[in-house]
Amino acid sequence: MSVLRTIESKIEGLFEGLFGRAFRTHVQPVELARKLAKEMDEHRSVSISRVYVPNEYTIYLSSADRQEFASYEGSLIGELQEYLTEHARREAYALLTPPRVRFATDDDLAVGEFGIATRVAQPQEGVPAPPALPALTPVVPPPLAATTTMIYRQGEQEAVAPVVPPVRAPEPEIVTLTVEGRSHPVTPTGFVVGRSRECDLCVSDGNASRRHAEVVLEGTSYFVVDLGSTNGTELNGRRIMREALADGDRITIGATDLVFGRALP
């Protein structure tokens, strides 16, 4: 039996006996697990070296369904988080933190309906990020960062009318890395800097690694990520592994300084 199926059996077991009869007309816990994995798959953000997925999931339930979970909510949350962790491991997804699941009540939902909202949350200070996963080949451009709440009805295979918050189209902007007075446009799908000619920006610096660092867009923010370089990456004179970027920030790899620029045209 696979690890995911074992976890599904544990989730089903939580509600057998005392709860089993009630849940024939209410939300099925194992269905929550499968739909959470589906939301993780559908909110992938693909960069050059890894595939990011949301790390926070909010499940919206009707008042009646939420009441059915009241006595077992803590145990169920733990099992659902374990299910998402195993799913991410099997698919080689990258997470900023271990998956977090929480429940919320929405009185607009009928019995047997539930909604799932996802988002990418930055790790708290002092909490180490999970280790990087092996490099992956990008297959699709990253999706928009806007969060949508998918609404499901018990027993249906697909979502029934997604509730999509209005999203205003982002203003066009110019994002660059400038080295020795020459500006290089940064692509939102990821921009790798290093000595290798295969990098988006090749630098002639013996102290730089072949694939030294990457600038990636996550949501509406750009980040610089060290790719396991030998001599490390600095941001404004401070050694970093991963840090958000602002207009005018100075990135140092080896003996080379690059200035990050982000402005409207």
Side-chain angles (χ1 to χ4, degrees):
M1 181 180 292
S2 69
V3 176
L4 287 179
R5 185 67 191 104
T6 300
I7 300 173
E8 286 183 3
S9 297
K10 291 169 64 179
I11 293 173
E12 290 171 331
L14 283 174
F15 299 92
E16 290 177 352
L18 292 177
F19 260 4
R21 186 173 302 172
F23 271 104
R24 290 173 188 168
T25 57
H26 289 263
V27 172
Q28 297 288 337
V30 73
E31 187 69 10
L32 293 178
R34 293 166 181 165
K35 287 299 190 291
L36 284 170
K38 180 176 181 290
E39 290 299 308
M40 176 180 280
D41 292 337
E42 294 188 351
H43 289 84
R44 294 173 297 178
S45 179
V46 184
S47 74
I48 288 179
S49 60
R50 54 186 61 85
V51 179
Y52 293 100
V53 290
N55 56 340
E56 285 200 357
Y57 299 79
T58 302
I59 301 173
Y60 294 93
L61 299 166
S62 67
S63 298
D65 282 322
R66 183 76 185 277
Q67 183 60 36
E68 295 288 350
F69 289 119
S71 300
Y72 295 84
E73 189 169 292
S75 298
L76 178 58
I77 287 174
E79 298 293 350
L80 292 175
Q81 290 176 163
E82 182 182 356
Y83 189 89
L84 285 174
T85 299
E86 176 61 20
H87 183 70
R89 186 193 67 79
R90 288 166 62 95
E91 299 297 329
Y93 292 151
L95 289 153
L96 300 186
T97 67
R100 294 192 291 268
V101 175
R102 73 181 187 94
F103 285 104
T105 302
D106 186 341
D107 292 328
D108 291 333
L109 294 173
V111 172
E113 291 183 344
F114 60 95
I116 299 176
T118 67
R119 77 184 189 103
V120 177
Q122 302 301 320
Q124 299 176 357
E125 292 187 6
V127 178
L133 293 169
L136 302 172
T137 302
V139 294
V140 295
L144 293 176
T147 298
T148 60
T149 302
M150 300 301 295
I151 306 300
Y152 296 92
R153 290 198 181 103
Q154 181 59 32
E156 291 188 342
Q157 295 298 319
E158 297 296 334
V160 291
V163 179
V164 182
V167 179
R168 185 174 62 184
E171 295 290 336
E173 60 180 354
I174 298 174
V175 181
T176 59
L177 283 179
T178 301
V179 55
E180 297 179 349
R182 183 177 179 183
S183 295
H184 303 266
V186 174
T187 57
T189 53
F191 192 85
V192 177
V193 183
R195 286 190 297 107
S196 172
R197 294 184 179 275
E198 297 179 357
C199 293
D200 299 290
L201 176 56
C202 178
V203 295
S204 299
D205 185 339
N207 293 313
S209 296
R210 291 181 57 80
R211 289 172 53 88
H212 196 107
E214 181 183 18
V215 174
V216 296
L217 175 64
E218 297 178 13
T220 59
S221 299
Y222 279 87
F223 288 78
V224 58
V225 181
D226 184 86
L227 299 178
S229 64
T230 300
N231 294 317
T233 301
E234 293 184 359
L235 179 63
N236 299 324
R238 181 170 58 89
R239 186 77 170 262
I240 58 95
M241 288 298 296
R242 181 182 181 279
E243 198 75 28
L245 290 167
D247 183 46
D249 278 349
R250 187 181 80 258
I251 304 169
T252 303
I253 66 170
T256 302
D257 287 336
L258 307 96
V259 178
F260 177 77
R262 184 178 188 182
L264 294 176

